[in-house]
Amino acid sequence: LNLDTKEGYRIGKIAVEMMHRFNVVAECAPLVYLSVYAYVAILVEPFQSCVDMMQKGYEQAMFNGDTYMAACNIAQKIPKSLICGIRLSTLDNEIRNQLKRDNGYSQKALLPYWLIYQDTISLLADGQDVTSPTIEADLLDRQSNSVPFDYLDCLSYLRLMSSYWLGQYERAVYYAERKLGDERSKFRIVTSEFYNGLALIGMFRRKRTSALMKRIKTSITELNGAAEHSQWNFQNKEYLLMAELSSISNQSNVAILEWYDKAIDRAKRSKFIHEEGLACELAGCHCSSVGERSIALTYFSEAKKCYSEWGSRMKVKFIENQIRRINATFD
């Protein structure tokens, strides 16, 4: 991973430089930006800047009249935007607009992506499915020729993400263990380890086994390697996994909270509002479990602010219930 990422990034940046040097941006930008920023640079440069470049690829393709390449850039931009923590309502509006455009330009091949993206956003915002149950059935039929080549891998990835946020840890791990893509999908594979590790820790809290602990440490190792390429993108995730590992390992409360605070601070600096909220939530859950109710309320209050800004009414409601539960113990 280390050698491939470094070499791939170097070659990708050369392609971008040559495109500008030979003044072929108009012709080449949609494909070059898609290839470089959706698959390689995303592991090194800030997620947000890569999303911006995919937007530029989309705009150039639309200007060129190449609606298919425009749709491909947006199709890659949406899941990366989810990882960035861009407001959910903003993404939902973008998908609705894209569905209208696709009806006009007959880009039916990408319809399955728009539907599963819309479904994932609905789950994260309100905890509700909006797509047909047949999408779930499609996941089991990997020989289907009716969907794009990596749609089912993308579906597994997004189901992993939404399952974790819904607190369905076993389901999240089930999706994490499926094939999530090939060498072009390292971003998907690496970021899935974050949710997989958190879900495994959630399972470990219910049943402590050495096998689960081994798998948790594997996820942490993956995030550690990713953070070497980009602290901006991955260090907060590594810190949060370390905080959760410290919590289940019964380390000193001071040491545990240091890890949570580092995860919160790093997520805030990287502008990942949803993961800042998650770190606050998990810190609050830890404090509540060890009887530190006042500190837990402080963390939960910050989590609520973050989730509200992200646009997840589901998570705001969950945090409000946690706050009410703790307040009831003071009465």
Side-chain angles (χ1 to χ4, degrees), residues 112-123:
Y113 290 101
W114 307 136
L115 293 179
I116 191 57
Y117 293 162
Q118 193 173 50
D119 183 51
T120 301
I121 291 168
S122 179
L123 284 167

Side-chain angles (χ1 to χ4, degrees), residues 13-28:
K13 296 303 285 187
I14 290 174
V16 174
E17 180 184 343
M18 296 297 285
M19 179 182 70
H20 286 280
R21 180 182 299 178
F22 290 102
N23 196 28
V24 290
V25 174
E27 301 92 326
C28 300

